[in-house]
Amino acid sequence: MGDRVLGIAMNGVTGRMGYRQHLTRSVLAIRDAGGVELPDGSRVIPEPVLVGRSERKLRDIAEKHGIERWTTDLDSVLSDDSVPVYFDAQITHAREAAVRSAIAAGRHIYVEKPTASTLDAALELAKLAEQAGVRNGVVQDKLFLPGLIKLRRLLDSGFFGKVLSIRGEFGYWVFEGDGQPAQRPSWNYRAEDGGGIVLDMFPHWHYVLEHLFGPVRTVTARTATHIPRRWDEHGEPYEATADDAAYGIFEVGDGVIAQINSSWSVRVDRDELVEFQVDGTHGSAVAGLRSCRVQHRSVTPKGVWDPDAADPVRYREDWSHVPDNGEFTNGFRAQWEDYLRHVVLGTPFHHDLLSGARGIQMAEAGLLSSRTGRTVELGEVSTT
């Protein structure tokens, strides 16, 4: 088999994430490296076709990176059989209709999360893709990052013994936009535009928990809008109607308890913007996006509570770093490479639209739990 050029319609690459992580650091990086090598020695070479609303932005990006094709007409590219793959990194509320159109056109699907604004809509997309027989996937990038790859190694080796609990801390201070420009777009803080940290981050936490520790059984959560007034990209004040912080407790797998705090209104006092501490009977680990530190039970210091004396133990000094033992590629690129193999060869790909729907199910359960003050059980979801 000779090398194969695979056309990919990329919608939403004028946004920060779509441009930096998906276009330049993934698809173009793969293309410039000669494509993804297949088992027979041939390669699949992605060729992006840019799609968006702004002619100026698309033209500028295309000229900068030597991309031949771009368009503001989504229907025209979906009807082009030389472009069999559709990728979507648009704003959430614009994604569903575009993905529906792509499935109807028989295109293979790869999308950012959340895949839709509601669980019902996400399940419908998964069902349509299944019925159409198109290969489909959702971005679950954090599983492909060095810190969580190392955490997976530890789990697979039995390092923890029985896993007891998981504690996650995510977030940073997003400036309000008056004194300094905000690091995130204003729509993130408007519920009417699909904003909110629960809808944004709970799907991430779901796939991390599900793929590493097991199915998420229950959700108990409390949300907050700590900063009620912000300033948009034009310096105009607006009311923040979406949650900017969420505090969740999840029962995972066989009785493992996970507690994850998510906030855009917190100042960072940790090594990375997100960290997960996993405690087990035989050992513990703290994994971020890049690093992972461990402490085995054989070297665990004996903590003794004594408020009347200075504690002589330097607890953080008793942890060891897990070595890289190899080179890690960009996490988004690594998943793109897996997805391209899946499209061409039909190799297993566990990050499909149904998996993405389960992430939205957990987000909806978190919002319901916060409104009602009760624990919400997660039932099985399917396309049938």
Side-chain angles (χ1 to χ4, degrees), residues 207-338:
Y207 69 70
V208 168
L209 294 173
E210 179 179 70
H211 285 282
L212 293 181
F213 302 100
V216 181
R217 310 290 188 187
T218 67
V219 178
T220 308
R222 177 71 175 176
T223 67
T225 304
H226 290 309
I227 308 295
R229 182 177 173 86
R230 292 180 177 270
W231 282 256
D232 65 17
E233 292 79 0
H234 307 291
E236 296 296 326
Y238 67 94
E239 180 183 358
T241 55
D243 44 280
D244 61 17
Y247 310 92
I249 299 174
F250 313 94
E251 184 179 355
V252 182
D254 186 20
V256 177
I257 303 300
Q259 174 189 330
I260 303 179
N261 295 329
S262 312
S263 178
W264 289 320
S265 307
V266 63
R267 294 177 176 87
V268 180
D269 183 20
R270 65 189 99 91
D271 291 339
E272 300 193 55
L273 296 185
V274 62
E275 289 184 342
F276 299 95
Q277 177 163 335
V278 180
D279 289 302
T281 54
H282 292 175
S284 298
V286 177
L289 298 181
R290 300 206 60 83
S291 67
C292 185
R293 296 178 287 114
V294 294
Q295 185 177 95
H296 191 260
R297 65 176 177 178
S298 61
V299 294
T300 299
K302 181 179 289 187
V304 178
W305 176 255
D306 185 354
D308 298 317
D311 194 334
V313 181
R314 297 294 178 261
Y315 292 99
R316 298 198 71 180
E317 296 177 4
D318 291 305
W319 293 71
S320 302
H321 283 273
V322 177
D324 289 349
N325 288 346
E327 293 192 14
F328 300 101
T329 189
N330 175 279
F332 289 87
R333 175 176 173 176
Q335 192 178 7
W336 263 104
E337 291 176 350
D338 277 359

Side-chain angles (χ1 to χ4, degrees), residues 1-2 4 36-44 340-341 344-345:
M1 182 184 297
R4 174 178 175 180
V36 176
E37 186 173 1
L38 303 179
D40 65 357
S42 67
R43 289 178 173 271
V44 55
L340 293 175
R341 294 187 189 97
V344 174
L345 301 175

